Amino acid sequence: MIETPYLLFLGDAPDQLAAKVAQGIADWRPENAVGQFRMSGCNADVGLDDMTLAQARAAGARTLVIGVANRGGVISAAWKEVLIEALGMGFDLASGLHKLLRDEADLVAAAQEHGCRLHDVRVPSVAYPIADGVRRSGKRVLAVGTDCSVGKMYVALALEDAMRRRGMKGTFRATGQTGILITGSGVPLDAVVADFMAGAVEWLTPDNDVDHWDIIEGQGSLFHVSYSGVTLALIHGGQPDALILSHEPTRTHMRGLPDYVLPSLEMLRDTALPLARVANPACEVVGIAVNTKAMDADTATDYLAGVEQRMGLPAVDPYRHGADRLVEALATL
C-alpha cells in the first residue's frame, strides 16, 4: 500500500496540464495531500500549500508522489536531487511514469539506505488474459475523447459520485496512474503488452449485478496517433453499453501533435460508436462531457447549450456542474 498523506511533486512542470496527476489527486482526494512541492520554473499550481520537504514531513506527509505526466514518462535529471533528498528524510516515492523508479540505481540505493519504498504504479501486477469477447452481466460506461487529457477521468469520477448520491450501484475502474493513485487499485493499461490490453479491461470489469455500472476510466483518443491503441482496447475490452463523448473546446491542436487538429464531436461519435458495437451491438452514445475550465461561466453555458442543440444529447461539464444529467441518461438504458 502507498502510505498517505502525500506531498505532491510538481517539479518543473511546463504548464498546468503537465501536472494532471497531481491535479487529479488534489481535486478528488484532497484529504490525502498536505501540499505541493514546486521547483524553480514550474508553471503549474494545483491549489495546495507550497511546502518544503521539511515542512511537509513535519505536517505528516509519508509519500512524495510525482504528480507530473510528461511526454515519454521520463524522470528528469533535474528532479533527482529533490527525490534523493526526500528519500534521505524518510519519504517513500510513488510514480506513474513510464520510466520506473526501480530502474534508477541512485534512487534504489538511497531507498535501501534509508529504509524507504519505491512505488511504480504503472507496473502491471497481474497476468492478464487475452480478451475473448464473451458478454458479461452488469452495465458499463466509457468516456471517449476528441484528444488526450480532455477530462475523461474526471467524467468517470463525477459519474461515480452522482450515482452514489442517487443510491445507484457504480464503481470507478481506474486504467491510468492518476486513477490508481486516487482509488488504490486498477490496471495501468498503457503499460500492458498490446495483445493483453483488451483482456485486462475484461478482467477489470467482470460479471456484476444487472443494475451495477462499471465506470471505466478513458484513455487516449482514437484520433491521437500516439495513443489510439489504448483507446481501442478500452472500447473492445470494456464492451460499453454507453459512451460519453469528451471534449476540450479551446484546444488548437492535438496534445503534443501541433500538425493535427481535433476532430469534431460528430466525427468522434461516428467513429467510436461503430467500433463499440463490434463488441456490444446495443451500445449507445448517451451524452457529452465538456471540459470548460478555460471558459468563464457565461461562455461555458452558451457553449454547452449550442453543443446540446447541435448534437441532441445532454451536454455538461461534469466537474463544474455535476454529472446528474449524464446519470439520468444512463438510467434509461
Side-chain angles (χ1 to χ4, degrees), residues 27 46 70 114 117 155 259:
D27 285 343
V46 299
N70 54 26
H114 300 287
R117 292 178 294 179
V155 176
D259 296 328

Side-chain angles (χ1 to χ4, degrees), residues 72-154:
V74 298
I75 299 174
S76 166
W79 300 352
K80 283 291 190 71
E81 183 176 345
V82 177
L83 301 182
I84 291 172
E85 182 182 356
L87 290 166
M89 296 175 65
F91 283 92
D92 292 340
L93 299 183
S95 170
L97 296 172
H98 283 293
K99 184 67 173 178
L100 303 181
L101 297 171
R102 68 186 188 188
D103 290 339
E104 300 293 315
D106 48 359
L107 296 181
V108 172
Q112 291 174 343
E113 178 182 356
H114 300 287
C116 301
R117 292 178 294 179
L118 303 177
H119 299 281
D120 287 301
V121 301
R122 220 175 196 141
V123 176
S125 58
V126 174
Y128 300 116
I130 292 176
D132 58 20
V134 174
R135 289 289 297 151
R136 308 185 293 286
S137 59
K139 298 181 178 181
R140 289 158 193 87
V141 56
L142 172 69
V144 290
T146 54
D147 193 7
C148 301
S149 305
V150 293
K152 297 181 293 295
M153 183 189 74
Y154 277 56

Side-chain angles (χ1 to χ4, degrees), residues 292 315 325-326:
T292 65
R325 295 185 64 215
L326 298 177

Side-chain angles (χ1 to χ4, degrees), residues 245 264-270 285 287-288 305-315:
L245 310 182
S264 66
L265 286 164
E266 288 88 347
M267 288 178 64
L268 175 60
R269 176 198 62 201
D270 295 344
V285 175
I288 300 164
V307 168
E308 188 159 326
Q309 183 177 25
R310 188 179 95 224
M311 300 292 292
L313 293 167

Side-chain angles (χ1 to χ4, degrees), residues 246-268:
S246 188
H247 182 54
E248 206 283 37
T250 67
R251 296 274 176 90
T252 58
H253 57 78
M254 302 290 282
R255 176 73 170 164
L257 299 175
D259 296 328
Y260 287 78
V261 298
L262 271 68
S264 66
L265 286 164
E266 288 88 347
M267 288 178 64
L268 175 60

Side-chain angles (χ1 to χ4, degrees), residues 1-7 31-34 60-63 65 181:
M1 293 293 293
I2 302 174
E3 293 194 66
T4 58
Y6 303 146
L7 174 63
E31 69 276 10
N32 286 351
V34 301
R62 305 297 300 272
T63 303
V65 174
L181 285 165

